[in-house]
Amino acid sequence: MARLQARGVRLPRTERRAQLLAAAQRVFAANGYHAAAMDEIAEEAGVSKPVLYQHFPGKLDLYIALLESHVDELVRRVKDALDSTTDNKQRVPATVGAFFDFVNNDAGAFRMVFESDLRGEPAVQEAVDRATSASVDAITETITADAGLDEDKARLLAVGLVGLSQVSARFWLAHHKSMSREEAVALTANLAWRGIGGGFPLQH
């Protein structure tokens, strides 16, 4: 019914784009990139194929736009976690939790970011790399300011925290959530905090 109602309804460009991206997410998640068809995405969105092509010239353009939106979401979650408190002991679980929430919120989203099978495409690889680099940049800035480390050392710690968080979150999800999100985040954050908090205390 929703698809039928969508046909013929003129939406502002930003709303239409969001609608098309949501439909594409469902189709890509169900079929994978290669088996997904623009006709099917248009049908899922409840629009004509020409309307879809007005916004996205091709399937790869649509995929990259969707991937970029997921990367933006992840980076926003990480930055919000870092800004949520000035207590570094709380920042670590908040940041770890950002990755767990991203992974748990939409399996299709995290798989596009961390498990994309289109990394041979330069634009896709660039977006995937940004998911890590932008998160690392944000954490590096915080560690540099609060722990008094030079940028190279802070960046290495940031890379470790990002890697630990996203791999642990994906493992937790893949193993049918054998423990609660809270327990999994606490265990992962405790491991990270013992290294960062114990070795590099807050500088005043």
Side-chain angles (χ1 to χ4, degrees), residues 136-147:
V136 167
D137 286 346
I139 297 169
T140 297
E141 183 178 347
T142 299
I143 294 176
T144 301
D146 289 351

Side-chain angles (χ1 to χ4, degrees), residues 3 9 11 13 15 19 29 32 35 43 46 50 62 66 76 81 99 107 118 120 124 132 147 174-175 197 200:
R3 296 180 199 173
V9 177
L11 295 176
R13 185 172 182 82
E15 289 184 29
Q19 177 198 27
E43 177 64 26
L62 180 52
L66 185 59
R76 177 187 58 77
F99 284 89
L118 291 181
V124 171
T132 297
H175 287 75
F200 309 99

Side-chain angles (χ1 to χ4, degrees), residues 138-192:
I139 297 169
T140 297
E141 183 178 347
T142 299
I143 294 176
T144 301
D146 289 351
L149 293 177
D150 64 52
E151 185 176 345
D152 287 342
K153 292 176 181 177
R155 184 168 298 277
L156 181 60
L157 290 176
V159 169
L161 181 58
V162 169
L164 173 66
S165 299
Q166 65 102 338
V167 171
S168 297
R170 289 162 61 195
F171 179 87
W172 169 74
L173 187 68
H175 287 75
H176 309 292
K177 304 177 188 176
S178 57
M179 66 186 75
S180 70
R181 177 261 187 206
E182 290 72 22
E183 185 178 5
V185 168
L187 283 170
T188 306
N190 189 46
L191 174 61

Side-chain angles (χ1 to χ4, degrees), residues 76-92:
R76 177 187 58 77
R77 286 178 181 271
V78 170
K79 289 182 176 179
D80 286 350
L82 291 169
D83 292 341
S84 66
T85 177
T86 57
D87 182 348
N88 281 340
K89 191 172 184 179
Q90 297 304 315
R91 269 190 179 133
V92 172

